[in-house]
Amino acid sequence: MAEETGFKQDQQLIDTHLIETTVSSEIMAQGKMLTVRYDEARLPNGVISGREYVIHPGAVVVVALTPAGEVVLERQFRYPLKQVFIELPAGKIDPGEPVLTTGQRELLEETGYTAQSWVKLGVQHPCIGYSNEVIHIYLATGLSLGEHARDIDEAMDVFTWPFEQVMQAIEAGDITDSKTLSAMLLAERYLRRHPQIESVV
């Protein structure tokens, strides 16, 4: 992943006329994981406007490839939409936890897999209009399968698909989870540039 230098630093200088500054901030609701805040912000034109948003601890999603080049996937029920989704292994970052450790922990806990090689592919901001959530994206290879250690409130089916089948499912609209879409796109581009890792694309 490219370092956040050069272009991004120059862009920050160019974007100064777009920046909003916080005037006041208050907590509207506090849950076990999420916090809802309401801020008043001064816009670039001087107008004060309300900004309601969710504070999220951040998460990690993993594109895990088996020795056969297949992608490890999960099917699980997502309560807010009352629907079962196909998605990649992922989980939230615990306080003070390095993001790579989160990825390794979540992959093992949810699927039973461990990986010898980890590459950070990038980050995703899944809901920039109402949350500060950042999802870190990793590619994991050299997998070995052991026993999962899911939490008591986690129920899922773990399975593998060939890489191309996952991409076809995305195109067909059978996979719509945003973190999975973003991660698979970055993994596909990375693997095309590094074909020695897995011959999957």
Side-chain angles (χ1 to χ4, degrees):
M1 185 179 67
E3 293 184 7
E4 295 186 4
T5 56
F7 173 78
K8 286 193 175 182
Q9 290 179 347
D10 293 341
Q11 197 64 39
Q12 287 174 353
L13 295 175
I14 295 171
D15 290 341
T16 53
H17 65 293
L18 302 174
I19 303 301
E20 301 176 2
T21 55
T22 303
V23 175
S24 63
S25 181
E26 61 178 311
I27 294 176
M28 303 297 292
Q30 180 69 65
K32 291 183 178 180
M33 181 179 74
L34 303 175
T35 302
V36 179
R37 300 196 72 94
Y38 179 82
D39 290 5
E40 288 192 334
R42 180 174 286 105
L43 309 188
N45 62 5
V47 172
I48 303 297
S49 182
R51 295 289 183 259
E52 193 172 295
Y53 60 102
V54 176
I55 302 296
H56 189 283
V60 177
V61 61
V62 182
V63 181
L65 298 181
T66 70
E70 295 195 330
V71 181
V72 178
L73 296 167
E74 302 170 352
R75 283 176 54 85
Q76 59 179 319
F77 184 80
R78 291 301 192 175
Y79 189 85
L81 287 161
K82 307 297 191 293
Q83 182 179 340
V84 173
F85 287 86
I86 298 173
E87 53 191 289
L88 293 167
K92 70 177 181 66
I93 302 168
D94 287 342
E97 185 177 45
V99 293
L100 175 57
T101 301
T102 301
Q104 293 169 334
R105 174 178 56 76
E106 289 291 342
L107 182 64
L108 175 61
E109 288 179 358
E110 293 186 351
T111 71
Y113 282 101
T114 56
Q116 292 180 345
S117 177
W118 291 79
V119 176
K120 189 167 186 182
L121 299 178
V123 298
Q124 179 205 10
H125 299 92
C127 37
I128 58 176
Y130 61 88
S131 178
N132 72 339
E133 181 179 3
V134 179
I135 300 178
H136 302 262
I137 302 169
Y138 279 90
L139 174 68
T141 56
L143 299 191
S144 299
L145 181 59
E147 293 292 328
H148 69 76
R150 292 174 204 141
D151 294 334
I152 193 171
D153 61 352
E154 287 184 314
M156 63 186 66
D157 292 335
V158 176
F159 61 100
T160 62
W161 273 357
F163 198 98
E164 184 55 31
Q165 184 176 351
V166 181
M167 301 306 291
Q168 290 171 355
I170 289 172
E171 292 177 4
D174 296 326
I175 295 177
T176 58
D177 170 56
S178 65
K179 67 182 181 299
T180 298
L181 271 60
S182 299
M184 289 299 299
L185 172 63
L186 290 176
E188 182 182 43
R189 289 180 60 82
Y190 183 87
L191 291 168
R192 287 192 186 281
R193 294 170 179 163
H194 303 84
Q196 72 277 10
I197 294 179
E198 299 285 352
S199 299
V200 296
V201 295

